[in-house]
Amino acid sequence: MDDLNKPTSERHVCIVGAGISGLRCADVLLSHGFKVTILEARDRIGGRICQSEGLGYTVDIGPNWIHAWTDSDVPHPIFKLATDTGTPLHHWNNKQLLFDSDGNKLPDESTDRLSTTLWDIIADAFTFSEEGHTKNGGKDIASTDSLQDFIRRRAAEVVSDEGERQLLVKMSEMFGAYVGEPVWKQSLRFAWMEECCGGDEMFVASNYSAILSRAAKPALDGATIRLSTCVVGVTSSVAFSPFQRQAVTVTTDVGETLSFDEVVMTTPLGWLKHNHDSVFSPALPPRLTSAISNLGLSQLEKVFITFPSVFWTAPSADKPFPCYTNWLTPHYAESTNPQHWPQEIWDLSSFAEPNNHPTILFYLYGDCSRHIVNSIYGKTPEEKHRFLDDFFRPYYSLLPGYDAADARCKPAAILATEWLKNELNGFGSYCNFQVGVEAADQDVLAFREGCAERRLWFCGEHAAPFEECGTVAGAYLSGENVARKILGVYGLGGEKAQGI
Ligand SMILES: Cc1cc2nc3c(=O)[nH]c(=O)nc-3n(C[C@H](O)[C@H](O)[C@H](O)COP(=O)(O)OP(=O)(O)OC[C@H]3O[C@@H](n4cnc5c(N)ncnc54)[C@H](O)[C@@H]3O)c2cc1C
């Protein structure tokens, strides 16, 4: 037992996990004189921010986007890190190519018009959800209502042509690639918490490594970072008085027991779902165990296909190739996709030199992700390549310029992520708010509050500012927030992090 008057230099905080939230938390605590030890299960820092060389050049297999807010004078922290490090950001050309269920290209005019209508409806859904939340926590919106229910209802009001209405509803499936699960699973009551998807969206044209290095520098310089150290137990107890606090002990996978003044858990939501029962002693309080089960875990996966050179040609120099192509509920690939999962790609060849590679990036979500990863997991590189090429050829072969006999149209390399099989990520990608959730905002708040009385704290993308959950910026701010809460315990300021 100790008291709160010890100098901060003797205060020892353990941060479990060296992802962006843990690194930011360490930065704030170190700058206030705390001693910080980070225990990280992987043999590297960064968590979900990570890269692969599998295509022959470096790509991010986790985040690529920066969803920067535009309605605040306060700079977006990750946009700022990108700017400070000279990380090239790409603004897409806002053009899209759309194929209907039979594989026919839709006229550009209807694609553009319907896309504008769809985004207007989504903006209305955010407003409707936000107003419902402000009024009475969203209770007037049935927890069973989905974002797609709203889109269907509004489309019935504003799109008179039946065929176009159906098309618009199919187009709304693209929201799945934002939240990692289908749009019909997205809670309407908590759609407002996904509003970051409507901000200024930029794509990191190189990769996130410079951003990560800059964010990690204070921790690398000032903290003790133990890699390949997996935490398997955390024992804490309630203080007898606010001035007499018990140490928290952490057990690692090699049987060590380490004592700290405070412990911050940054382990992902999915990891908490699978492990909280066995790791925390005593068990976490009901407000936290409910939050762990109430918040949804999404399944976003990425498949990069790179070709010997770009065969998908722009119609003319003044009309660039659309950045985004969408195959709506395809019915022409029954043997490989009998569930008609929609497909979408982003054209990574449109970046400025030297980041313009002849690569298209498919985003998968929900059951389609699960199908793809389960089909390739544990297979040889050749088997993976064959399966993935067979699965995705019905889509890329519809791009203009495709010719089966042309060597330029045969994938040179294919890289698929396998987050579904990643134990340290809890077998998923990031949190989301699915139909059925009653009070997602309260669940996020429960994480942000943590168990101060037990010196046990939580941060990460699931404890972020409401509209930043599931993002790098949200995780970063959650780390800052928890550090400020700890500062508050020791009478060191403790003002809130931005957006919290
Ligand atoms: C495929 C994919 C695409 C994404 N795209 C975007 C995007 O474009 N833009 C965006 O803003 N966000 C995106 N995200 C989300 C973003 O990556 C996360 O929100 C953010 O990186 C999470 O940071 P974190 O610190 O909360 O968690 P993590 O980065 O997961 O850090 C947690 C750390 O805890 C460690 N750990 C786990 N268990 C233990 C243990 N028992 N002991 C010790 N250490 C442990 C892990 O190894 C990890 O390093 C994407 C995520 C995925 C998976």
Side-chain angles (χ1 to χ4, degrees), residues 303 305 330 333-343 362 364 367-369 371-372 375-376 384-396 414:
V303 176
I305 305 188
E334 283 293 328
S335 62
T336 48
N337 184 4
Q339 296 82 357
H340 314 135
W341 289 309
Q343 301 298 327
F362 282 85
L364 316 177
D367 285 344
C368 183
S369 290
H371 169 69
I372 297 291
S375 304
I376 60 172
K384 284 187 187 187
H385 185 100
R386 206 173 313 120
F387 174 87
L388 294 166
D389 193 19
D390 286 346
F391 188 89
F392 292 105
R393 195 179 318 108
Y395 315 108
Y396 73 69
I414 307 183

Side-chain angles (χ1 to χ4, degrees), residues 17 19 21 40-42 47-48 63-65 231 267 271 460-461 470-472:
S21 63
E40 166 56 53
R42 291 184 167 106
R48 277 165 269 188
N64 272 119
W65 296 79
V231 169
T267 49
W271 183 91
E461 51 90 11
T471 69
V472 176

